[in-house]
Amino acid sequence: MKKKVVLAGGTGFIGHYLNGQFAGAGYDVKVISRGSKSHSWDRFDSVVEAIEGSDMLINLAGKSVNCRYNEKNKAEIFSSRTDTTEMLGKAVLKCVNPPSLWINSSTATIYRHAEDRPMTEENGEIGSGFSVEVAKAWEKSFFSFDLPNTRQAALRIAIVLGDGGVMTPYKNLAKFGLGGVQGSGKQMFSWIHVEDVYRIIQFIRENEHLSGVFNTAAPKPISNKEFMSEVRKAMNIKFGLPSPKWMLGMGAVFIRTETELVLKSRWVIPERLEREGFTFKYPDMESALGEILGEGAR
């Protein structure tokens, strides 16, 4: 009988990738989503049915933060994370055979803007502001459940790179000559290849003593200036115009997003994973972009 994995909110970039990987590894993959006819957030019994007897529950649900932070969007960003997490916890408690592992998304944005030193799970400083409050509430919802038969791990995920997702706008910027530094260019860019996200999930599943919070980021973050340079180099583009802070502010209003997504310095190190012996397939930007932007991907 196939092992069952449940992807809650598994319809985005990361979810689609994980779905393909788990299906390819022989898992029976169940997806909980708003539009699902089988397992919808609108029907609690169908959520319980999806989770019942599963090997692993992975929660990726949450409205995209790539939007303007008006009151309506802020409320949806908040509730789409905490409400779904609380529903999943209640569903796990309802299960006769609950999953042995529940992995919940969190975000590396929980740490403060850092240009002075990297943030680890043990010594990282929690930041302030709307995005941080969302992250704190998200993790609080997750760890509020006492689940004796289910291990819990929260992944503080950095910016995920792969064929699609955030790489698409970065590729377009470089392609149209706008692939220079953004803001000062000194802000740190913590990232992770989407394949390593999948490998980390499997690593935590296989090592049954692991639980709690994990920084899910490659061990070699780089500055925004270095990142844009690596993108241009991988695409064989010699020059890119810079985007000063004032220009980013105007552009963010125009495309209905927030400059925080580009200007916040996320300097996050995966200390726990490395200490436990996890080996990254893509530890540095050159290897990651070599795979993502290789011939045929440009």
Side-chain angles (χ1 to χ4, degrees):
M1 188 173 176
K2 282 185 175 183
K3 286 186 175 181
K4 180 166 71 167
V5 62
V6 180
L7 297 177
T11 57
F13 168 66
I14 301 172
H16 278 299
Y17 183 87
L18 295 182
N19 195 332
Q21 292 295 106
F22 280 115
Y27 283 83
D28 177 19
V29 182
K30 302 295 183 185
V31 176
I32 302 171
S33 68
R34 292 285 174 209
S36 173
K37 294 180 180 178
S38 303
H39 304 292
S40 171
W41 291 112
D42 298 325
R43 301 192 311 278
F44 181 70
D45 60 335
S46 75
V47 174
V48 176
E49 180 187 353
I51 298 171
E52 178 67 54
S54 61
D55 181 58
M56 183 164 40
L57 166 62
I58 302 167
N59 181 25
L60 305 167
K63 174 181 170 62
S64 172
V65 295
N66 186 17
C67 62
R68 294 297 289 175
Y69 289 172
N70 57 42
E71 292 308 310
K72 179 177 181 290
N73 285 338
K74 285 164 72 172
E76 288 181 10
I77 288 169
F78 210 98
S79 64
S80 64
R81 286 160 174 75
T82 57
D83 291 357
T84 52
T85 298
E86 287 167 14
M87 180 185 287
L88 292 173
K90 291 173 183 175
V92 171
L93 287 170
K94 281 279 188 181
C95 289
V96 177
N97 296 300
S100 57
L101 175 62
W102 176 10
I103 288 180
N104 215 65
S105 291
S106 182
T107 172
T109 301
I110 198 169
Y111 298 109
R112 66 168 171 82
H113 179 99
E115 294 184 19
D116 54 334
R117 68 175 180 87
M119 302 287 114
T120 65
E121 295 91 344
E122 185 174 351
N123 296 315
E125 296 175 40
I126 305 302
S128 61
F130 170 69
S131 296
V132 172
E133 291 305 312
V134 171
K136 286 162 60 179
W138 202 2
E139 290 188 6
K140 183 178 180 181
S141 296
F142 178 55
F143 288 116
S144 69
F145 289 94
D146 181 15
L147 306 172
N149 299 309
T150 302
R151 266 189 307 137
Q152 291 171 261
L155 304 186
R156 290 177 174 171
I157 303 174
I159 294 170
V160 181
L161 304 182
D163 185 12
V166 300
M167 275 310 305
T168 299
Y170 280 118
K171 283 166 58 178
N172 287 337
L173 283 172
K175 190 182 296 183
F176 294 110
L178 299 173
V181 299
Q182 295 156 333
S184 71
K186 296 178 182 178
Q187 69 271 30
M188 295 300 290
F189 184 85
S190 280
W191 60 277
I192 186 166
H193 192 290
V194 67
E195 185 173 343
D196 276 328
V197 175
Y198 170 74
R199 294 176 65 249
I200 287 167
I201 290 170
Q202 290 287 39
F203 181 80
I204 293 173
R205 183 187 67 81
E206 292 162 5
N207 290 273
E208 296 181 0
H209 65 288
L210 297 180
S211 63
V213 170
F214 295 87
N215 286 349
T216 306
K220 296 181 180 179
I222 59 178
S223 69
N224 172 268
K225 180 180 180 180
E226 293 168 320
F227 171 62
M228 296 310 299
S229 176
E230 289 286 347
V231 170
R232 295 195 308 273
K233 178 181 174 184
M235 296 180 67
N236 196 28
I237 293 171
K238 303 298 183 185
F239 177 75
L241 289 171
S243 301
K245 186 176 180 178
W246 66 266
M247 184 184 294
L248 290 170
M250 291 175 60
V253 173
F254 182 72
I255 64 174
R256 305 193 64 75
T257 188
E258 294 287 338
T259 58
E260 179 192 46
L261 302 178
V262 172
L263 296 179
K264 180 168 181 176
S265 186
R266 298 169 179 84
W267 193 351
V268 180
I269 298 294
E271 185 176 68
R272 282 197 71 193
L273 287 168
E274 291 197 302
R275 188 170 64 224
E276 293 291 344
F278 180 78
T279 302
F280 286 81
K281 184 172 181 180
Y282 301 101
D284 55 69
M285 188 60 72
E286 185 176 5
S287 62
L289 291 182
E291 190 280 327
I292 298 166
L293 297 176
E295 291 300 325
R298 296 178 189 174

